[in-house]
Structure formats: structure tokens, C-alpha cells
Amino acid sequence: SQQGEEDPQALSIQEGENATMNCSYKTSINNLQWYRQNSGRGLVHLILIRSNEREKHSGRLRVTLDTSKKSSSLLITASRAADTASYFCATILFGKLIFGQGTELSVKP
Amino acid sequence: NAGVTQTPKFQVLKTGQSMTLQCAQDMNHEYMSWYRQDPGMGLRLIHYSVGAGITDQGEVPNGYNVSRSTTEDFPLRLLSAAPSQTSVYFCASSYSLSGGTEAFFGQGTRLTVV
């Protein structure tokens, strides 16, 4: 079973809008990571947030973590067509890096 | 710095054939892993290794073998290919899982079993 599950599965927005993706997980974690995948290519690491952090920023990305709710969110502000990709959260479960099913983001010009 | 290199990029196999997907990294990473990605299923872990000589099963290990004789290489062997193994395969490596370091991915191998 998946440790992390993203919501929504797909998201379509206009350029300039904000995109929010959510990830829920089942067990306690030390950190949670977000990755991006462009159309069938390898995943690229975006950001890591540790369990003692509540919020983290990187450029137009903002990640939050709520350990009491076992959930995280990724916000992309002022989205661009180039942000079109799939986004995955990942956590470590019993020594294994496990990914969720991903959110497919489409940003229309 | 090449990162994680996977070969081949594309492969077509006949049912019952065997083959090895190659994965090499030049970052001296201890942790390496193989995933398969199918539509709507995200990435599922096949096998992983925490160091040379140490491998373990992931979520979907059946039909696959791995070995880790060196830190750099982590090949994935399909013993007897089946159509259900048609997928995109990704190799990943990271310095350490316990430290929460990022994983680096190869560009993938698109495998079709006919």
C-alpha cells in the first residue's frame, strides 16, 4: 500500500494562478520530500521538509507539513506553462523511499 | 558529473526472454533503488540496496533479481519477461536515507514485452 497519497490526481489551471497539491501519509516520518517529473523523464527533487519544520520555501514553491494530520501541501505560486508536470511526495517507510501516486498538473497559457 | 545513468533507454522483449537493465552512479551513493512506473500507479519500488553486497525487496519484487557488487552499479535482471512487466523503469540513488538526502534519478528505460 502507498505510504503517501496525493490529492488531487489531476489539476488544470491557467498561467498565473496558484496550484496546491496535497499529500497524506500513514506513519510517522522524519522528513517528507517533493519531486517533479516532466513527461516520462526521471524525477527531480524539489524540496525536503523535516518533521520539526512547519513550512519551507524555495523560490515559487511553498511546502507545509502538519505532522498531527499526517499531511503536507505543495503550493506553486504564479504558475507558468513550464510548471506542467507530475508532482510526487515521498517518505521513508521501513528504510525504503516510497512515492505517492502523484498529481498531474497542467498549466494552460 | 554524469549522475545516474541507465541503459538501455528503450527495449522490446519477447515473452520468456531475459535481460538486464543497467544502472550506474558516480556520486558514491550508498542507497540505490529500482522503481517501475505504470499509468495511474505512480512509482512502485522493486528492489533496493543500502550498500555494496546488501539488497532487499521492495513492493513488487516478483520476476526481478538484483545484485550490488560495487557501490557504483545496481543492475536489474528480468528472469523471464512477461507482458505484465511492460513498464517504464527508473533507477535512483541517494547518499543516505536516514539523513534525508535527495534521490537522483536516471532517465528511465521504457520496456515493452510482447
Side-chain angles (χ1 to χ4, degrees), chain B residues 2-3 8 11 17 36 40 48 54 57 62-63 70 74 81 94 97 107:
Chain B
Q11 183 71 49
Q17 286 185 318
R36 61 177 287 172
Y48 67 103
I54 306 169
Q57 296 180 351
N62 292 341
T70 66
F74 190 44
S94 61
L97 273 197
Q107 288 304 296

Side-chain angles (χ1 to χ4, degrees), chain A residues 32-102:
Chain A
L32 184 143
Q33 304 179 36
W34 284 91
Y35 289 78
R36 165 190 170 131
Q37 182 183 36
N38 286 90
S39 190
R41 299 178 66 84
L43 277 69
V44 175
H45 182 264
L46 293 176
I47 196 166
L48 179 150
I49 186 166
R50 301 191 185 279
S51 59
N52 60 354
E53 298 175 309
R54 291 297 169 258
E55 188 171 310
K56 199 164 183 179
H57 296 256
S58 177
R60 293 184 295 112
L61 305 181
R62 172 180 164 241
V63 169
T64 61
L65 180 64
D66 187 335
T67 54
S68 67
K69 295 181 180 178
K70 292 188 170 59
S71 68
S72 174
S73 67
L74 170 67
L75 169 67
I76 304 174
T77 60
S79 63
R80 305 166 182 168
D83 293 328
T84 294
S86 293
Y87 293 83
F88 296 86
C89 65
T91 56
I92 297 170
L93 178 64
F94 303 125
K96 309 169 194 177
L97 186 61
I98 303 296
F99 287 82
Q101 293 182 327

